[in-house]
Amino acid sequence: MRAIVLRELGGPEQFHLEDVQTPVPNKNEVLIQLKAAAFNRRDIYVRTGKYPGIKLPAIPGSDGSGIADDGTEVVINPALNWGGNERAYSDNFSIVGVPTDGTFADYIVVPMENVFPKPAYLSFEEAAALPLGGLTAYRSLVTRGRLKEGETVLIPGIGGGVATFVLQIAVAIKAEVFVTSSSDEKIAKAVSMGAKAGVNYREAGWDRLLKEKMNGGADLIIDSVGGPHFSKLINVANHGCRIVSFGATAGPSLELVMPKIFLKQIDILGSTMGSPTDFKNMLELYEKHQLVPVIDSIFPLEKIAEAQSRIEEGKNFGKIVLRISS
């Protein structure tokens, strides 16, 4: 079968398209012929050695949809071995695509418990875009963030795959959603998807301007950016606000003013991936509201270098998808 193989860490050229042996499922595993896969920033971190537990050679890719060996159209939950604790994953937890072989291939073997029916209204490309980002967004927003209808939600750095899922879910729950970005075009796209408004964080005093647009502040902030702007989120937060962090693409936050956190009684919550229950509930929410993942662009497997460049350069709005087979 064809597969993208990572043998050495480094630049985009380290993703090689090769012919490798088709995997054989063991008991309680399912062989899936992949129709589509999707990129995540995680794949870039793996390629550049910025992710723990890397074992080479490996086939990357966490998101995928296709046809199981019994003919069923399926989507893969990439969160392996979560365990029985809904509050946090087990010591054996891992994610599909390093250290186990991933979805950038013609076939993959995954545990039976990680295989779910593909929502019938979604194409294979749309379904492949959903798992990792949709799961992360759902747990951050609903399970950890405890979002309620009518609350004000802020999504910093709109445009990435998870952020667009957060926006879709929050709008479906009837929250008042606001966004930030360095791109006015991305803010406009978010508004077209249901956001009330947004501000460009390159503008001086963007946090004050955002509070004005909100007519107050945020009840819930879902952040994946971190970095120096995180302290500004405290300024935008209402008293009793929940801030959920699932990433730090801008690095650590070193300028937090601690009294602002405890005097405003702010909850700062961490979130990573999600449980099987979260995944099931996420799929049910998408089906109930007939939500369709936002796809930035679709590339054939052979064009993987171009696909990853869009993420690394921050050009994408939504998910980058790889079409494996028609």
Side-chain angles (χ1 to χ4, degrees), residues 28-142:
N28 298 323
E29 290 184 329
V30 179
L31 177 68
I32 298 170
Q33 180 187 11
L34 289 157
K35 293 293 186 178
F39 249 106
N40 292 285
R41 190 165 291 275
R42 177 182 190 270
D43 301 310
I44 307 299
Y45 293 155
V46 167
R47 194 201 73 212
T48 55
K50 298 177 181 178
Y51 204 88
I54 299 172
K55 297 179 182 179
L56 302 180
I59 299 171
S62 302
D63 284 331
S65 67
I67 301 175
D69 46 20
D70 65 356
T72 305
E73 295 184 352
V74 298
V75 63
I76 298 167
N77 173 9
L80 302 173
N81 304 312
W82 179 274
N85 183 2
E86 286 292 326
R87 290 174 56 84
Y89 52 71
S90 73
D91 292 340
N92 295 322
F93 175 79
S94 65
I95 301 172
V96 169
V98 182
T100 62
D101 283 340
T103 58
F104 294 172
D106 286 324
Y107 291 88
I108 188 174
V109 165
V110 294
M112 190 178 299
E113 63 187 19
N114 287 78
V115 180
F116 287 74
K118 179 180 75 66
Y121 72 98
L122 295 179
S123 68
F124 283 113
E125 290 81 6
E126 291 164 345
L130 182 56
L132 188 146
L135 176 60
T136 300
Y138 183 90
R139 184 172 179 85
S140 298
L141 193 63
V142 180

Side-chain angles (χ1 to χ4, degrees), residues 3 241 282 297:
C241 177
M282 180 271 294
S297 48

Side-chain angles (χ1 to χ4, degrees), residues 152-167:
T152 299
V153 177
L154 171 60
I155 308 171
I158 194 66
V162 178
T164 59
F165 290 122
V166 173
L167 174 56

Side-chain angles (χ1 to χ4, degrees), residues 12 18 20 38 52-53 57 86 107 117 121 168 208 212 215 217 255 264 276 296 302 312-313 318:
E18 301 181 9
V20 300
E86 286 292 326
Y107 291 88
Y121 72 98
Q168 283 186 321
R208 174 186 52 78
E212 292 175 0
N215 292 318
E255 301 175 356
K264 296 178 83 170
D296 174 86
E302 296 82 0
E312 290 188 283
E313 296 169 10

Side-chain angles (χ1 to χ4, degrees), residues 40-317:
N40 292 285
R41 190 165 291 275
R42 177 182 190 270
D43 301 310
I44 307 299
Y45 293 155
V46 167
R47 194 201 73 212
T48 55
K50 298 177 181 178
Y51 204 88
I54 299 172
K55 297 179 182 179
L56 302 180
I59 299 171
S62 302
D63 284 331
S65 67
I67 301 175
D69 46 20
D70 65 356
T72 305
E73 295 184 352
V74 298
V75 63
I76 298 167
N77 173 9
L80 302 173
N81 304 312
W82 179 274
N85 183 2
E86 286 292 326
R87 290 174 56 84
Y89 52 71
S90 73
D91 292 340
N92 295 322
F93 175 79
S94 65
I95 301 172
V96 169
V98 182
T100 62
D101 283 340
T103 58
F104 294 172
D106 286 324
Y107 291 88
I108 188 174
V109 165
V110 294
M112 190 178 299
E113 63 187 19
N114 287 78
V115 180
F116 287 74
K118 179 180 75 66
Y121 72 98
L122 295 179
S123 68
F124 283 113
E125 290 81 6
E126 291 164 345
L130 182 56
L132 188 146
L135 176 60
T136 300
Y138 183 90
R139 184 172 179 85
S140 298
L141 193 63
V142 180
T143 306
R144 299 288 281 157
R146 308 184 305 280
L147 176 63
K148 297 180 179 64
E149 179 179 340
E151 288 191 308
T152 299
V153 177
L154 171 60
I155 308 171
I158 194 66
V162 178
T164 59
F165 290 122
V166 173
L167 174 56
Q168 283 186 321
I169 296 170
V171 169
I173 295 175
K174 299 182 180 178
E176 300 281 313
V177 184
F178 295 81
V179 302
T180 72
S181 176
S182 61
S183 165
D184 292 336
E185 181 182 0
K186 290 184 179 181
I187 292 171
K189 287 182 178 179
V191 170
S192 73
M193 291 175 60
K196 296 297 180 182
V199 298
N200 192 315
Y201 62 73
R202 297 190 186 279
E203 185 174 346
W206 65 267
D207 51 337
R208 174 186 52 78
L209 178 60
L210 186 57
K211 285 196 72 172
E212 292 175 0
K213 289 179 179 289
M214 289 176 169
N215 292 318
D219 301 309
L220 176 61
I221 301 172
I222 307 296
D223 182 56
S224 65
V225 181
H229 286 293
F230 192 87
S231 61
K232 299 283 189 179
L233 301 182
I234 307 297
N235 298 338
V236 177
N238 282 331
H239 285 73
C241 177
R242 293 96 66 202
I243 302 176
V244 181
S245 170
F246 68 86
T249 56
S253 300
L254 304 176
E255 301 175 356
L256 287 179
V257 180
M258 296 306 296
K260 288 186 178 181
I261 296 174
F262 60 73
L263 290 173
K264 296 178 83 170
Q265 303 202 54
I266 292 171
D267 292 338
I268 298 180
L269 306 163
S271 189
T272 299
M273 296 295 287
S275 70
T277 300
D278 290 324
F279 193 84
K280 174 179 174 291
N281 290 341
M282 180 271 294
L283 288 180
E284 288 177 353
L285 183 143
Y286 263 75
E287 292 200 76
K288 175 182 177 181
H289 297 280
Q290 296 288 285
L291 301 178
V292 178
V294 177
I295 293 178
D296 174 86
S297 48
I298 300 174
F299 293 85
L301 190 61
E302 296 82 0
K303 299 289 186 179
I304 193 167
E306 296 177 29
Q308 60 189 313
S309 292
R310 281 194 65 80
I311 291 182
E312 290 188 283
E313 296 169 10
K315 294 180 178 179
N316 62 301
F317 186 93

